[in-house]
C-alpha cells in the first residue's frame, strides 16, 4: 500500500491501495492501534488457547455447566450495570448490516432505533471494505455522509436517525494486512481501535457515545479482556471512563453458562446482552461436534420455540433485568418478497409472531436485517412495550438449568435439508469471496452465521453417518452425488455468465473440503480469509 504517512516503529502494512486509507490510517491512529495490540495481544492468545482446552474437555465427556468459582457473582444481588445513556434507552428495533456507504445511510434512515454497523458477520473483510467502512462511519458520525447511485439517485441522512453501534470482529479473527512486530494483528483491535480513535470524542460532543456490539465471546474472561481494552483506550485518548457502552452477543453455548459473569465483567461499560440465535445454533453444533448424541435436525426445525432455545432466551432476559440491562432479542432474517404478495404476507406474519413472542417474554428490543421489516418489529414491541424498555419486568419465575440448555431438539434430517445447506453455504461463500458478506438467498438475508450452520451441520451429519427421514445414510458418496445437482441449480438460478465468472467453483471446493475434512475447522471465515485481498 502506498501510504505517505510515516508508520509507527514496528508497523508494516501490506495491502492494496484504497483511496480513503490516508485519511483513516494516520500515524496517530496506527500508533493507538499498535498500543492496543502490544498491551493485549498476549492475553488474547492465552484466551484463544483456553478455547481449545475447553473443546478437549467437552470431547472427553465434560459437559458445560454454571461455574462454581463464580457463584458469588451470580448470588450477589447488589451489583447492577452502569446507567443507560439517553440515546440507548429505547432499542425496540435494531437493524444490522454491512458498512458500505449506501447501507449505512439507509439503515440510519430506516426508522429503527439503532443501527449496528457490522465489521463482522455481515462484512467480507477485504481491505477495501474495511477502510471504506471506517471512512463511511466517520462521515456518518459527522452527518456529512452522502451517496449517489449509478442511476443518479441521491442518498443523505434524515434529520432523525438511528443511534449508531459498531460490531468489530471477534477475538479469533486476524487482520493480515497490518503487522505489528512482524505478526498479523487482531481484527477486533483494528476495527475497534480505528473507529474509537476517530469518533469517540466527536460522538460525545454530539451527545452520544462510542457504542459497540461484542461478538463470539466464550467466557467471562474474554469479556474482562474487552473491559481492560476499554479502560486502556479511554485513558489513552483522555476519554472519561464509562463513556463506552457495549452489548455482548450471547451467541455461543459456553457464553450462555457465563452470561451473568460476562455482564459483571463489563458492568461499568455494559449496554446489555443479545440473543444471537444463528451463531448460537452454530456454536451448539461446533462444541458438541464429536458427540453423536448432540446431532441436530434440519436447521429449519431448530426454531426459537424449541426448549433449548427458549431456555436460553429466558435466561438472558432474567439475568439482564435483575442487573438493570437491556435484553435484546434475535434476528429476523426474512426480506420482503416483492413478486409474491401472498408469500410475502405469510412471511411477515411469521416475523410478527416471532417478535410478539420476544416482546411478550420480556425482551427490550429485537433485530431485523432489512428496512422493510422495521415496521413489523416496531408494531410488535409498540403493542407489548409502550414504554422505552421493560427492564423493570423481572422474570423471577424463570429458573433455567444446565440440562434445559443442553436439551437436543427433536426432529428429522431430510434430503431437502442437506441440499439447502449445500446451496446456502456455497452461495454465501461465493459472495463472501467476492467481497459481499450479506447475501439475500431464498427470501432470507444470509450472513456468516447462517453459512456456518450449513457447513457445520453437514460436517456433523457426515461425521456421525446421520440417517435421513427416508432411510438414507449421509455419507461422502451421497454428498458427492448431491453436489453437482445443487451446483446446476445455482447456475440455472443465477445464469451461466454469472456462474462461470463468479467464485462458485472456488467456493464449492473450499466448502466441500471443510465439510468432509477429518478435523473440524473452527470457523469457515479463517481459511476463506486467506483467499481475500
Amino acid at each position: 500500500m502506498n501510504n505517505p504517512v510515516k508508520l509507527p516503529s514496528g508497523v508494516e502494512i501490506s495491502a492494496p491501495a484504497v483511496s480513503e486509507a490516508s485519511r483513516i490510517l494516520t500515524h496517530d491512529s496506527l500508533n493507538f492501534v499498535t498500543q492496543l495490540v502490544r498491551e493485549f495481544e498476549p492475553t488474547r492468545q492465552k484466551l484463544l488457547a483456553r478455547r481449545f482446552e475447553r473443546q478437549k474437555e467437552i470431547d472427553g465427556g465434560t459437559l458445560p455447566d454454571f461455574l462454581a468459582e463464580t457463584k458469588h457473582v451470580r448470588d450477589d444481588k447488589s451489583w447492577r450495570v452502569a446507567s443507560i445513556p439517553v440515546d440507548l434507552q429505547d432499542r425496540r428495533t435494531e437493524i444490522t448490516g454491512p458498512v458500505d456507504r449506501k447501507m449505512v445511510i439507509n439503515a440510519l434512515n430506516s426508522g429503527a432505533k439503532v443501527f449496528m454497523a457490522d465489521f463482522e458477520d455481515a462484512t467480507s473483510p477485504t481491505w477495501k471494505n474495511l477502510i471504506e467502512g471506517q471512512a463511511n462511519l466517520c462521515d456518518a458520525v459527522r452527518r456529512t455522509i452522502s451517496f449517489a447511485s449509478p442511476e443518479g439517485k441521491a442518498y443523505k441522512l434524515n434529520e432523525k436517525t438511528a443511534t449508531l453501534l459498531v460490531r468489530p470482529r471477534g477475538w479469533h479473527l486476524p487482520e493480515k494486512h497490518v503487522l505489528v512486530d512482524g505478526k498479523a494483528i487482531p481484527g477486533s483491535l483494528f476495527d475497534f481501535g480505528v473507529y474509537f480513535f476517530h469518533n469517540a470524542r466527536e460522538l460525545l460532543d454530539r451527545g452520544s457515545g462510542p457504542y459497540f456490539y461484542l461478538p463470539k465471546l466464550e467466557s467471562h474472561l474474554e469479556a474482562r479482556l474487552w473491559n481492560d481494552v476499554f479502560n486502556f483506550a479511554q485513558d489513552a485518548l483522555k476519554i472519561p471512563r464509562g463513556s463506552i457502552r457495549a452489548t455482548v452477543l450471547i451467541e455461543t453455548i459456553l457464553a450462555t453458562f457465563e452470561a451473568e459473569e460476562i455482564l459483571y465483567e463489563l458492568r461499568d461499560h455494559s449496554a446489555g446482552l443479545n440473543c444471537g440465535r444463528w451463531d448460537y445454533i452454530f456454536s451448539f453444533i461446533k462444541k458438541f461436534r464429536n458427540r453423536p448424541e448432540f446431532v441436530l435436525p434440519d436447521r429449519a426445525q431448530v426454531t426459537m420455540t424449541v426448549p433449548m432455545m427458549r431456555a436460553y432466551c429466558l435466561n438472558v432476559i432474567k439475568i439482564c433485568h435483575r442487573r438493570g440491562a437491556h435484553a435484546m432479542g434475535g434476528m429476523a432474517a426474512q426480506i420482503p418478497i416483492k413478486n409474491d404478495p401472498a408469500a410475502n404476507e405469510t412471511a411477515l406474519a411469521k416475523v410478527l409472531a416471532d417478535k410478539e413472542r420476544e416482546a411478550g417474554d420480556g425482551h427490550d428490543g429485537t433485530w431485523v436485517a432489512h428496512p422493510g421489516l422495521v415496521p413489523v418489529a416496531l408494531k410488535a414491541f409498540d403493542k407489548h412495550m409502550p414504554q422505552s424498555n421493560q427492564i423493570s419486568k423481572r422474570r423471577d419465575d424463570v429458573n433455567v438449568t444446565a440440562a434445559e440448555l443442553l436439551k437436543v431438539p427433536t426432529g428429522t434430517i431430510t434430503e431437502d435439508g442437506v441440499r439447502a445447506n449445500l446451496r446456502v453455504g456455497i452461495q454465501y461463500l461465493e459472495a463472501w469471496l467476492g467481497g459481499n458478506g450479506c447475501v439475500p438467498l431464498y427470501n432470507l438475508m444470509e450472513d456468516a452465521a447462517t453459512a456456518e450452520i450449513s457447513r457445520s451441520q453437514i460436517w456433523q451429519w457426515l461425521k456421525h453417518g446421520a440417517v435421513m427421514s427416508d432411510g438414507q445414510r449421509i455419507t461422502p458418496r451421497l454428498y458427492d452425488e448431491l453436489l453437482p445437482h445443487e451446483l446446476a441449480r445455482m447456475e440455472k438460478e443465477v445464469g451461466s455468465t454469472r456462474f462461470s465468472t463468479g467464485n462458485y467453483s472456488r467456493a464449492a471446493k473450499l466448502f466441500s473440503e471443510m465439510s468432509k475434512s477429518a478435523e473440524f475447522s473452527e470457523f469457515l471465515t479463517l481459511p476463506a480469509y486467506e483467499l481475500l485481498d
Side-chain angles (χ1 to χ4, degrees):
M1 186 186 78
N2 297 320
N3 192 330
V5 174
K6 182 181 178 182
L7 299 177
S9 176
V11 176
E12 303 170 61
I13 297 180
S14 177
V18 177
S19 61
E20 295 285 5
S22 59
R23 173 160 74 112
I24 297 302
L25 300 180
T26 64
H27 181 276
D28 288 346
S29 69
L30 287 169
N31 188 58
F32 175 66
V33 170
T34 302
Q35 290 179 55
L36 293 175
V37 172
R38 288 178 174 150
E39 182 72 19
F40 298 108
E41 174 63 354
T43 304
R44 183 184 80 103
Q45 288 296 338
K46 290 177 183 176
L47 292 173
L48 291 179
R50 187 175 181 270
R51 290 185 179 185
F52 285 96
E53 292 305 312
R54 288 295 304 275
Q55 184 64 54
K56 288 180 183 177
E57 293 172 3
I58 292 170
D59 290 343
T62 302
L63 291 177
D65 203 346
F66 299 101
L67 302 182
E69 61 266 33
T70 53
K71 186 174 183 295
H72 65 282
V73 172
R74 300 192 299 274
D75 289 346
D76 182 353
K77 298 179 181 179
S78 64
W79 67 268
R80 291 172 66 83
V81 303
S83 60
I84 303 169
V86 172
D87 58 345
L88 283 179
Q89 290 277 346
D90 189 337
R91 301 171 62 180
R92 67 189 60 227
T93 300
E94 301 188 340
I95 190 169
T96 75
V99 289
D100 65 88
R101 204 163 183 85
K102 180 181 173 184
M103 175 66 198
V104 169
I105 296 171
N106 284 343
L108 288 170
N109 288 343
S110 66
K113 299 295 183 180
V114 167
F115 166 46
M116 188 200 77
D118 191 10
F119 283 102
E120 200 223 10
D121 276 358
T123 291
S124 174
T126 65
W127 187 244
K128 183 175 186 290
N129 284 349
L130 295 172
I131 299 304
E132 290 185 353
Q134 291 282 356
N136 294 339
L137 297 186
C138 283
D139 293 344
V141 167
R142 291 158 182 79
R143 299 189 62 83
T144 60
I145 189 170
S146 62
F147 175 75
S149 72
E151 301 78 29
K153 185 176 179 180
Y155 297 80
K156 63 179 183 178
L157 293 181
N158 296 338
E159 183 176 344
K160 183 175 177 56
T161 57
T163 298
L164 178 63
L165 274 71
V166 173
R167 178 161 69 168
R169 282 169 284 179
W171 282 130
H172 61 289
L173 293 169
E175 178 43 64
K176 65 181 180 181
H177 301 97
V178 183
L179 305 183
V180 170
D181 304 326
K183 296 180 180 179
I185 69 171
S188 49
L189 295 181
F190 179 81
D191 299 342
F192 164 79
V194 172
Y195 177 77
F196 187 82
F197 179 86
H198 285 294
N199 299 294
R201 175 57 60 189
E202 184 73 25
L203 285 160
L204 291 171
D205 289 346
R206 290 173 176 270
S208 187
Y211 304 146
F212 298 93
Y213 258 103
L214 304 179
K216 306 292 192 292
L217 271 64
E218 294 194 13
S219 77
H220 71 285
L221 299 178
E222 295 180 14
R224 181 181 298 170
L225 176 56
W226 268 120
N227 198 69
D228 291 343
V229 169
F230 293 163
N231 282 329
F232 184 96
Q234 288 166 133
D235 293 349
L237 298 187
K238 296 181 171 55
I239 301 293
R241 284 197 177 192
S243 297
I244 292 173
R245 288 292 190 275
T247 306
V248 173
L249 289 129
I250 301 300
E251 56 183 355
T252 67
I253 186 63
L254 297 183
T256 201
F257 286 97
E258 301 182 37
E260 198 150 9
E261 293 90 330
I262 286 170
L263 207 58
Y264 177 80
E265 294 293 344
L266 285 158
R267 61 195 181 280
D268 295 332
H269 298 106
S270 181
L273 305 176
N274 173 289
C275 291
R277 58 174 69 173
W278 305 123
D279 265 303
Y280 191 79
I281 296 170
F282 162 55
S283 172
F284 192 93
I285 299 168
K286 177 169 69 170
K287 288 300 175 186
F288 304 123
R289 60 186 182 253
N290 293 313
R291 307 279 294 266
E293 69 271 30
F294 283 93
V295 171
L296 292 190
D298 285 358
R299 160 189 162 184
Q301 297 175 34
V302 187
T303 67
M304 296 309 294
T305 58
V306 302
M308 81 169 199
M309 299 301 286
R310 185 142 180 79
Y312 144 65
C313 289
L314 291 175
N315 190 52
V316 166
I317 294 168
K318 178 179 181 177
I319 288 168
C320 287
H321 288 185
R322 75 189 295 213
R323 304 302 182 181
H326 283 87
M328 302 303 298
M331 169 68 82
Q334 290 85 350
I335 55 179
I337 307 170
K338 295 180 179 179
N339 59 353
D340 190 336
N344 186 59
E345 186 176 342
T346 300
L348 294 185
K350 289 181 179 179
V351 174
L352 181 62
D354 181 51
K355 299 311 174 188
E356 288 203 345
R357 175 193 54 76
E358 288 182 323
D361 283 345
H363 280 291
D364 302 289
T366 192
W367 275 18
V368 299
H370 191 281
L373 294 187
V374 170
V376 180
L378 284 173
K379 179 180 179 181
F381 275 83
D382 288 347
K383 175 181 175 181
H384 294 276
M385 191 181 80
Q387 66 278 25
S388 295
N389 54 65
Q390 48 187 342
I391 293 172
S392 61
K393 184 176 181 177
R394 303 286 290 268
R395 290 305 307 263
D396 295 331
D397 58 310
V398 173
N399 291 288
V400 171
T401 65
E404 289 174 304
L405 292 169
L406 298 175
K407 184 176 175 60
V408 179
T410 58
T412 57
I413 301 168
T414 67
E415 185 174 311
D416 284 344
V418 177
R419 289 176 178 273
N421 280 340
L422 280 169
R423 286 197 306 278
V424 169
I426 291 171
Q427 288 183 93
Y428 178 81
L429 187 53
E430 189 278 333
W432 197 90
L433 292 170
N436 181 12
C438 192
V439 188
L441 294 171
Y442 310 112
N443 304 319
L444 296 174
M445 192 66 77
E446 305 284 0
D447 69 3
T450 48
E452 288 285 29
I453 296 175
S454 298
R455 187 263 306 192
S456 59
Q457 278 209 306
I458 288 181
W459 189 96
Q460 185 187 48
W461 294 339
L462 286 169
K463 163 80 174 178
H464 300 292
V467 177
M468 297 187 295
S469 56
D470 62 3
Q472 290 187 88
R473 187 173 296 277
I474 301 175
T475 63
R477 181 178 177 179
L478 178 66
Y479 181 102
D480 291 340
E481 290 174 358
L482 295 178
L483 179 61
H485 294 283
E486 295 312 308
L487 288 172
R489 175 173 169 175
M490 294 175 212
E491 181 174 8
K492 183 177 181 181
E493 289 172 349
V494 303
S496 296
T497 302
R498 169 74 178 85
F499 189 84
S500 62
T501 58
N503 294 294
Y504 288 93
S505 47
R506 276 206 307 168
K509 181 176 184 293
L510 180 57
F511 188 87
S512 297
E513 288 172 352
M514 296 182 73
S515 297
K516 297 195 288 184
S517 64
E519 295 297 320
F520 185 85
S521 297
E522 288 292 305
F523 291 96
L524 177 72
T525 47
L526 285 173
Y529 183 51
E530 297 306 313
L531 303 176
L532 290 183
D533 293 330

